[in-house]
Amino acid sequence: MSKTSVGLIEPAYNHILSLIMTQQLQPGQKIPETKIAEQFGISRTPVRDAMRQLANEGLIEIFPNRFALVKDYSADEIREIGTLRVSFDTTAVKLASLYGSRADFLHLVELAEKCSNALGAQDRLTQIQHDCDFHLELAKISRNDLLVKFQKELYLRVQFILLTHPNSVSDEFKHVRQHFEIAEALMNYDEDLATNIIISHLTESYGLKDQYPTDFFSSYERPADAKPSK
């Protein structure tokens, strides 16, 4: 693909992504392909290339020779993604407790603060972005490149789902505070507590508590708010 082609695709991609993430285009709504092409003064080919990229990222469904729709995730699909996130993040916690430094964990605190501040400002999109940044950074601390790759592939899907589908979190402020608790547990090298918190954090968010046996993701039963033993 030439540099010129890439230069035409990028603005179309960013525009469609913005329409989706600001909810100007809702799940199940058609992508106005012709209108976007006319708006940017380009042919429909780069617009279609942009839509294919967004389809690969899980935000659009394309029906060849017909139309493209904003993805509308089913409850089952959301639970599948939630199950993957719990599995990925528990692995990330275990590896982060092994390889992470205090500086790494302090950076997690900074991301947790950004998420908390966005919640306080009632900036839902920014809150979700920082929430995802926190979990992606946790994967990076794991020093496992493949885990980071998988998390990045879920990144936009997760943002989109959190924006467009109500979750089952009963206390949003408590949910956001759990980021701080995870970082603190890691700084104390309390792998069990950090793992337990992140399991509670994600299973509640995705409504997984009744989907699996109590100890499915964890082999211990210490409450998430229990203090580490001295």
Side-chain angles (χ1 to χ4, degrees):
M1 185 179 294
S2 68
K3 290 183 179 180
T4 303
S5 298
V6 173
L8 294 175
I9 295 167
E10 186 175 358
Y13 171 90
N14 289 334
H15 179 66
I16 299 169
L17 178 61
S18 177
L19 290 175
I20 293 172
M21 288 305 188
T22 57
Q23 298 183 278
Q24 295 176 66
L25 286 176
Q26 295 287 328
Q29 191 171 343
K30 287 184 180 180
I31 310 298
E33 177 185 319
T34 301
K35 181 179 178 181
I36 292 168
E38 291 174 350
Q39 181 176 347
F40 286 94
I42 57 178
S43 71
R44 290 190 294 175
T45 298
V47 176
R48 288 171 180 168
D49 288 335
M51 291 194 300
R52 276 193 286 271
Q53 185 176 340
L54 287 162
N56 289 336
E57 293 169 341
L59 299 190
I60 286 176
E61 283 189 289
I62 295 175
F63 299 86
N65 302 318
R66 296 171 62 197
F67 49 78
L69 300 175
V70 179
K71 173 74 175 176
D72 190 3
Y73 279 90
S74 69
D76 286 342
E77 288 173 319
I78 293 172
R79 281 193 292 268
E80 287 176 0
I81 289 175
T83 300
L84 280 180
R85 289 200 71 199
V86 178
S87 300
F88 288 164
D89 277 36
T90 51
T91 299
V93 162
K94 292 176 186 297
L95 291 171
S97 68
L98 183 64
Y99 296 117
S101 66
R102 184 171 180 82
D104 289 327
F105 303 143
L106 286 173
H107 185 45
L108 285 179
V109 173
E110 292 174 5
L111 293 172
E113 288 174 346
K114 289 180 178 180
C115 185
S116 180
N117 291 339
L119 174 62
Q122 297 184 327
D123 186 345
R124 180 67 174 161
L125 178 56
T126 300
Q127 177 197 337
I128 289 170
Q129 289 171 337
H130 290 316
D131 186 308
C132 291
D133 287 342
F134 178 93
H135 291 271
L136 182 58
E137 185 63 26
L138 186 59
K140 291 177 180 177
I141 296 171
S142 76
R143 311 294 193 262
N144 186 300
D145 291 341
L146 196 56
L147 181 58
V148 174
K149 177 179 181 292
F150 290 156
Q151 288 282 45
K152 285 181 176 178
E153 288 177 358
L154 284 178
Y155 190 91
L156 280 179
R157 287 177 173 86
V158 170
Q159 284 193 48
F160 176 68
I161 288 169
L162 291 176
L163 274 171
T164 58
H165 291 77
N167 60 40
S168 54
V169 173
S170 58
D171 185 337
E172 190 72 26
F173 286 94
K174 177 182 177 182
H175 185 74
V176 169
R177 283 198 305 272
Q178 286 176 325
H179 291 145
F180 293 99
E181 295 168 6
I182 292 163
E184 182 181 3
L186 286 170
M187 278 192 282
N188 291 330
Y189 294 97
D190 192 338
E191 176 191 318
D192 283 357
L193 180 57
T195 304
N196 202 24
I197 295 169
I198 209 159
I199 289 170
S200 175
H201 181 74
L202 291 172
T203 53
E204 182 183 18
S205 182
Y206 288 90
L208 299 176
K209 289 184 178 295
D210 298 327
Q211 296 296 313
Y212 300 102
T214 303
D215 60 351
F216 181 78
F217 293 108
S218 175
S219 60
Y220 56 90
E221 298 180 356
R222 195 169 85 186
D225 58 354
K227 301 296 183 183
S229 58
K230 301 293 184 181

